[in-house]
Amino acid sequence: MSGPSRSSSASRASRYRETPDSPSPNIPDEGYYEQRTEAPKWALRLSEEQRAVHLLSYLDEKSLMNVALVSKEWNRFASDNAVWKGIYVRHGWSVNQDMIDWYLKGSELELASIVHEQEHEQEHEQEHEQEHEDRVLFSARSAVSNGKRRKVVDIDLKDEAAERSGDDYDMLQDVTAPYERYPDEDGDRKLQRFSPTQLDPQHQIDIDTSDTLIPAPLDPIEATTSSSPDCYDDASSPLSIPPSSPVSRDTSTSPDGSTSFSFAGTFGRSRDVATNQPTVAYPDPKAPNDNFFSHIDAFQAVKILWTSEPIRKCIDFIGSQAPYPSQILTPEILQTHRDHVSGRATINWKYLCMQRKLLEKNWTQGEHSARELPGHTEGIYCIQFDSYKVVSGSRDTTIKIWDIRSGECVRTYPGHTASVLCLQYDETRIVSGSSDTSILVWDLETGQILQRLDGHVDSVLSVRFEKDIVVSCSKDRSVKIWKISSGQLLRTLRGHRAAVNAVQFSPESAAPSPFRGSPRLVVSASGDKTIKVWSFETGECLRTLEGHARGIACIQFEGNVVVSGSSDQSIKIWDLSTGACVNTLAGHEGLVRTLQFAGGRIISGSYDETIKVWDQASGRLLTDLGGRHSHRVFKLQFDDSKIVSCSQDQKIIIWDFAVGVDTTFLN
């Protein structure tokens, strides 16, 4: 062992060479190796500027602001758009990607359209000038061709009339008027304009009764007046639709499957003379394709017979008929999201970060505005909303649809014979459950009942649907799975010992479940204090979660996380794969009737008349919202900027946290 060691040592010593600048020239290197971190190959291919930008993208906002103060060069690096995009993504904040795609693509199309229109206008002007010149020249030559001496005069339209003299001047002024010819002293024939009163009666025009002075009927889009309500008129949105925004791009309809998102269209608005009530001019689906709305498939479902305010529809913002950004966005927003060097449309990620930080601050501090949607005559049990409408169900047996911008009720659908306890809607349908034990499927636009599902023998307490499948639960202790198109009951899940108060099931697009065979899951919560997890395909009970001290009123599950609210006044967070309770949130003083979690927040509503906002990771209470509802909170839903809640006090309240925030591209 010693031999090889000495040999190795001698070998290393022999390779050692002292240099004059060695710190200890008499001490050989005994094999010390300094560990070094080598940059990855992709980093070596970056320029110095790109490396600096990449490194800065790992800083937080405060550190990045400090870096910007070092020098102008570092300020330029710290303001790089890619750096701020990285910060935005690392926070886990979402954006409205459909809106961003439409804005970037639409801006390019709009720029190309402007250039094309300018070229077309120049060509048209040149053609018009040439036609006018040819017409004037032809008239001038015809005017002098019948004299004793044929005199042809070429008129240069670029010369000013004041610079002309003799026959040229006379002809320029009079070629378009009636003429008589008379000989001059030299025998030539000159021209003289007739007075209008000297015209033959059959050629005279009665100016007072001329049809040309009667204005043509306005197009429904052009008939929109500035006094009509702007569907984007609220403080949290910078979107602005001009009162008249005609769009006439005659192109093919958008391909099937293109992405759409909601946008309130502009209709012609006027007032009925007798009732002084606003009326709406609807586009005729059978009319020729001569205006913007006649090309949009989403508007074909609008019935001309409706005289009430239309339900907001979706316009395809990715297809060929999408409006241009300048027709929708305000000039301020267009300027904010524009590259200052190239002038091209871009997304200002630093600006989005600042707006999102302000929105998060409003959530944490409870800074919001609120307004009510009154109209139901009894307590309101269920609601759902999107950017343009709220759909609610009430003890008064009706379903109402509200315009979320104006607060007006645009539809009321009677059909149930008892309280409407639960509902869900998509782009075309509403599915509702009632104390009358029935489940009704409605046409969202018309209120027509498309299907009736009968099978429960007690109140239907919760419904969820996707495509052709409805899952429901009832006070009769059962969970049922239905097929909408045929009304067929596919299976019934039994196992709970009390009323099943809430149910959810995983969508087709969900990630594989943690159970053997990765089945789609149905999760139900009951007054028997348990949560059960079922196989959607077989109806087998896969797991039972126990831990609440009293009955469970509400649940939500997504992925491997289940959150439940109970009559024991607590909220529990469960790991679905293990069945373990990972956290318990305490703070309510009454039954937790409704909850939702998303974006790191859990928001709950209770019989204690309050709504609470929690941090999902830590369980810390962020905001306590009270004082607006005066009775039990039955249902709530929220998105990135607002909460919509309903209560036994007959109120729907919209809690808007986007106070002073530009939410154009936020989700």
Side-chain angles (χ1 to χ4, degrees):
M1 294 295 292
S2 60
S5 177
R6 287 194 301 270
S7 174
S8 177
S9 177
S11 177
R12 288 196 299 270
S14 66
R15 290 196 299 270
Y16 179 78
R17 295 290 183 270
E18 294 183 1
T19 60
D21 57 346
S22 297
S24 301
N26 296 325
I27 302 176
D29 185 357
E30 295 294 336
Y32 171 76
Y33 176 74
E34 182 178 2
Q35 184 177 358
R36 298 171 182 170
T37 302
E38 295 185 2
K41 293 182 179 180
W42 63 265
L44 297 176
R45 292 193 293 267
L46 300 178
S47 65
E48 291 295 330
E49 181 174 343
Q50 290 172 328
R51 293 179 191 177
V53 169
H54 180 74
L55 292 174
L56 290 175
S57 66
Y58 289 95
L59 298 179
D60 57 27
E61 296 93 322
K62 185 176 181 180
S63 300
L64 198 59
M65 292 297 187
N66 291 333
V67 167
L69 300 176
V70 174
S71 66
K72 290 184 178 179
E73 187 70 10
W74 280 103
N75 179 51
R76 183 170 66 85
F77 289 153
S79 301
D80 189 273
N81 217 21
V83 172
W84 288 97
K85 182 178 181 180
I87 292 175
Y88 195 98
V89 172
R90 274 205 319 279
H91 275 293
W93 294 332
S94 58
V95 294
N96 191 331
Q97 192 60 50
D98 291 337
M99 186 80 168
I100 289 177
D101 293 342
W102 159 77
Y103 166 70
L104 296 176
K105 181 179 178 181
S107 298
E108 295 295 328
L109 293 175
E110 184 171 21
L111 179 61
S113 175
I114 291 174
V115 172
H116 177 74
E117 289 178 1
Q118 290 176 346
E119 294 175 350
H120 181 72
E121 288 178 0
Q122 291 177 356
E123 294 177 357
H124 181 72
E125 289 177 359
Q126 293 175 357
E127 292 176 357
H128 181 73
E129 289 178 359
Q130 184 63 40
E131 290 176 358
H132 183 65
E133 181 178 351
D134 293 344
R135 180 172 55 83
V136 172
L137 187 58
F138 176 78
S139 300
R141 288 177 174 177
S142 299
V144 298
S145 62
N146 296 324
K148 287 183 179 180
R149 288 183 299 118
R150 196 165 180 179
K151 189 173 184 179
V152 178
V153 181
D154 291 330
I155 300 175
D156 185 1
L157 295 179
K158 296 181 181 179
D159 293 341
E160 296 293 336
E163 298 177 358
R164 297 179 179 276
S165 60
D167 291 344
D168 288 350
Y169 180 78
D170 290 338
M171 282 184 286
L172 180 66
Q173 299 297 315
D174 299 329
V175 289
T176 57
Y179 296 96
E180 67 173 356
R181 296 178 175 80
Y182 63 96
D184 59 3
E185 296 176 354
D186 299 328
D188 291 332
R189 302 186 69 85
K190 285 187 175 290
L191 307 177
Q192 180 180 1
R193 187 194 300 270
F194 280 114
S195 167
T197 57
Q198 295 176 300
L199 291 173
D200 186 86
Q202 65 180 350
H203 295 108
Q204 293 187 25
I205 301 175
D206 186 352
I207 297 178
D208 293 335
T209 60
S210 175
D211 292 338
T212 60
L213 298 183
I214 300 176
L218 293 177
D219 181 83
I221 301 177
E222 297 174 345
T224 306
T225 64
S226 59
S227 61
S228 61
D230 187 349
C231 58
Y232 285 99
D233 187 18
D234 77 280
S236 66
S237 175
L239 304 183
S240 175
I241 300 177
S244 179
S245 302
V247 180
S248 57
R249 285 181 284 158
D250 295 332
T251 53
S252 60
T253 57
S254 58
D256 294 335
S258 60
T259 306
S260 301
F261 63 91
S262 294
F263 164 71
T266 307
F267 290 87
R269 297 174 186 267
S270 59
R271 288 191 174 271
D272 186 88
V273 177
T275 63
N276 197 34
Q277 295 297 316
T279 59
V280 180
Y282 293 92
D284 186 355
K286 298 181 180 180
N289 292 340
D290 58 355
N291 62 62
F292 174 55
F293 291 108
S294 63
H295 296 286
I296 302 176
D297 294 338
F299 280 88
Q300 300 306 316
V302 178
K303 306 298 188 295
I304 299 177
L305 296 178
W306 281 107
T307 57
S308 58
E309 189 73 12
I311 297 175
R312 302 302 184 189
K313 290 293 182 181
C314 292
I315 293 181
D316 180 10
F317 268 57
I318 305 301
S320 57
Q321 296 305 313
Y324 287 138
S326 64
Q327 296 169 322
I328 305 299
L329 304 180
T330 63
E332 293 77 14
I333 296 302
L334 294 174
Q335 182 63 32
T336 298
H337 296 281
R338 180 175 293 138
D339 188 277
H340 298 297
V341 178
S342 65
R344 301 179 70 88
T346 185
I347 296 297
N348 188 334
W349 288 98
K350 181 178 180 180
Y351 178 78
L352 291 191
C353 280
M354 297 300 103
Q355 296 303 308
R356 189 58 191 245
K357 290 286 285 187
L358 178 57
L359 181 59
E360 294 298 315
K361 180 181 177 182
N362 288 348
W363 275 106
T364 303
Q365 298 181 352
E367 186 72 24
H368 70 279
S369 62
R371 55 195 179 95
E372 299 179 10
L373 304 180
H376 281 293
T377 58
E378 297 282 354
I380 305 167
Y381 287 115
C382 48
I383 53 98
Q384 185 185 345
F385 79 97
D386 57 37
S387 299
Y388 302 102
K389 60 182 175 294
V390 176
V391 181
S392 60
S394 169
R395 191 170 184 268
D396 64 14
T397 74
T398 67
I399 294 173
K400 289 184 181 291
I401 303 178
W402 316 77
D403 187 311
I404 198 170
R405 304 288 180 174
S406 66
E408 297 178 358
C409 179
V410 297
R411 296 284 192 278
T412 298
Y413 296 154
H416 283 293
T417 58
S419 301
V420 181
L421 301 178
C422 50
L423 61 79
Q424 183 190 351
Y425 72 84
D426 64 6
E427 291 80 5
T428 60
R429 299 167 298 177
I430 304 172
V431 177
S432 61
S434 169
S435 294
D436 62 15
T437 75
S438 70
I439 299 169
L440 297 183
V441 182
W442 312 72
D443 183 288
L444 175 66
E445 178 66 42
T446 66
Q448 178 186 0
I449 297 176
L450 306 175
Q451 186 64 271
R452 182 184 180 97
L453 308 177
D454 290 311
H456 284 295
V457 295
D458 211 329
S459 301
V460 180
L461 302 179
S462 180
V463 293
R464 305 294 296 176
F465 83 97
E466 182 189 37
K467 296 182 179 178
D468 200 30
I469 297 296
V470 173
V471 177
S472 63
C473 65
S474 169
K475 198 174 178 180
D476 64 12
R477 307 181 183 183
S478 70
V479 176
K480 293 183 182 294
I481 303 176
W482 313 78
K483 189 172 184 179
I484 297 177
S485 57
S486 64
Q488 178 186 2
L489 175 62
L490 300 180
R491 64 184 55 88
T492 299
L493 314 180
R494 299 189 184 275
H496 283 294
R497 303 184 306 276
V500 185
N501 296 314
V503 69
Q504 281 197 306
F505 72 106
S506 53
E508 288 183 353
S509 58
S513 65
F515 299 94
R516 185 176 58 188
S518 299
R520 291 179 68 183
L521 302 180
V522 177
V523 180
S524 59
S526 170
D528 64 8
K529 311 176 190 177
T530 68
I531 299 170
K532 289 188 178 294
V533 183
W534 315 77
S535 168
F536 176 86
E537 288 82 5
T538 66
E540 176 189 1
C541 181
L542 304 174
R543 178 160 288 150
T544 299
L545 310 180
E546 297 181 279
H548 280 292
R550 298 187 65 179
I552 303 170
C554 54
I555 58 165
Q556 181 189 347
F557 97 95
E558 183 175 338
N560 287 332
V561 179
V562 175
V563 180
S564 59
S566 168
S567 184
D568 64 12
Q569 305 178 9
S570 72
I571 298 169
K572 289 186 180 292
I573 304 174
W574 310 80
D575 185 329
L576 191 60
S577 59
T578 64
C581 176
V582 298
N583 204 351
T584 299
L585 314 182
H588 280 295
E589 298 178 357
L591 181 150
V592 182
R593 174 62 183 269
T594 177
L595 61 79
Q596 181 189 348
F597 72 88
R601 279 188 287 267
I602 299 174
I603 301 183
S604 57
S606 169
Y607 279 6
D608 63 11
E609 304 173 8
T610 68
I611 293 173
K612 297 185 186 297
V613 182
W614 315 77
D615 180 76
Q616 183 176 344
S618 65
R620 181 169 59 94
L621 178 62
L622 301 177
T623 306
D624 195 343
L625 304 172
R628 296 196 182 275
H629 282 299
S630 58
H631 221 297
R632 298 172 172 179
V633 178
F634 284 144
K635 189 69 176 178
L636 65 79
Q637 184 189 357
F638 75 93
D639 61 14
D640 281 355
S641 62
K642 66 176 69 67
I643 303 171
V644 178
S645 60
C646 63
S647 167
Q648 191 172 344
D649 60 12
Q650 306 174 21
K651 296 178 183 177
I652 298 174
I653 296 181
I654 301 173
W655 316 67
D656 190 352
F657 290 83
V659 179
V661 180
D662 173 10
T663 60
T664 306
F665 297 114
L666 303 185
N667 197 20

